[in-house]
Amino acid sequence: MDIDGMFAKHHSRVTSEKVTIATRNKREQGICTYRAPIGYLNTGNMENKPLDPHRAPIIQGLFEKYADSTWSLEALAKWANEQGLTTTPQRRRRTYEEMSAEEEVHIEAVERPIVANGVHKILVNPFYTGKIINSDGKYIPSTSHRALVTQDLFDKVQLEL
């Protein structure tokens, strides 16, 4: 039993190291190994994060309007909601009772309206300029998605913020 436990621990550690190395290598190649933010589709393919045809134009509009210096975050959130922008569908966490139930409980994914804090998170995210975070925490050009806004527009928004 001790030997089986030792081999199981070794196998688990080796598998973890291989996954970590593979993820690091993918990120160094400019591939997005994590969930793309609102405005992009998460299709389950790391190599391709296409633009969301409904949300992407609204995200571009947020950047353009905020760069004009006449829009507040609250006004932008209201405008985005009027345009139909919502968060990507997400399920709530299961409760302890739901996890311990004998039968599986299905929880519906819910889209929520955008709030001012959500607009701020969008406006400060360099992902929209076509960059991803590498293993060292630095932004590098992405090969898995294209830019939604130009670097100049992003920099202008950062100055406004």
Side-chain angles (χ1 to χ4, degrees):
M1 202 154 152
D2 288 341
I3 292 173
D4 286 343
M6 181 180 68
F7 280 115
K9 194 177 204 180
H10 170 73
H11 179 72
S12 178
R13 188 184 76 247
V14 168
T15 302
S16 175
E17 289 171 359
K18 286 181 180 181
V19 169
T20 301
I21 290 169
T23 301
R24 184 174 291 131
N25 289 339
K26 290 283 188 187
R27 284 195 181 181
E28 292 305 320
Q29 295 169 9
I31 296 173
C32 180
T33 60
Y34 49 89
R35 207 172 151 74
I38 186 171
Y40 291 89
L41 297 175
N42 291 293
T43 58
N45 182 1
M46 289 189 294
E47 284 85 12
N48 184 25
K49 303 282 185 178
L51 294 174
D52 184 329
H54 173 70
R55 291 181 175 100
I58 302 170
I59 299 292
Q60 282 177 324
L62 289 174
F63 277 94
E64 291 165 1
K65 289 183 182 314
Y66 198 80
D68 288 343
S69 304
T70 58
W71 290 77
S72 68
L73 293 176
E74 291 80 15
L76 279 177
K78 183 178 179 189
W79 175 82
N81 286 319
E82 289 170 356
Q83 302 302 311
L85 182 65
T86 57
T87 61
T88 52
Q90 292 183 342
R91 293 182 183 90
R92 66 169 172 77
R93 289 183 178 239
R94 295 183 300 161
T95 63
Y96 178 76
E97 290 78 24
E98 290 170 338
M99 286 189 271
S100 59
E102 288 190 24
E103 57 199 46
E104 184 154 340
V105 178
H106 178 71
I107 300 171
E108 289 293 322
V110 178
E111 296 177 349
R112 293 188 167 76
I114 295 294
V115 294
N117 187 37
V119 171
H120 183 266
K121 286 182 180 179
I122 290 169
L123 295 178
V124 298
N125 191 347
F127 191 91
Y128 294 108
T129 63
K131 296 178 182 174
I132 64 159
I133 301 173
N134 70 0
S135 301
D136 299 327
K138 296 176 183 164
Y139 281 92
I140 61 170
S142 173
T143 59
S144 59
H145 77 285
R146 55 180 239 245
L148 195 56
V149 297
T150 64
Q151 186 66 47
D152 291 338
L153 179 60
F154 184 79
D155 293 339
K156 188 173 181 183
V157 168
Q158 301 318 298
L159 288 174
E160 290 296 322
L161 285 170

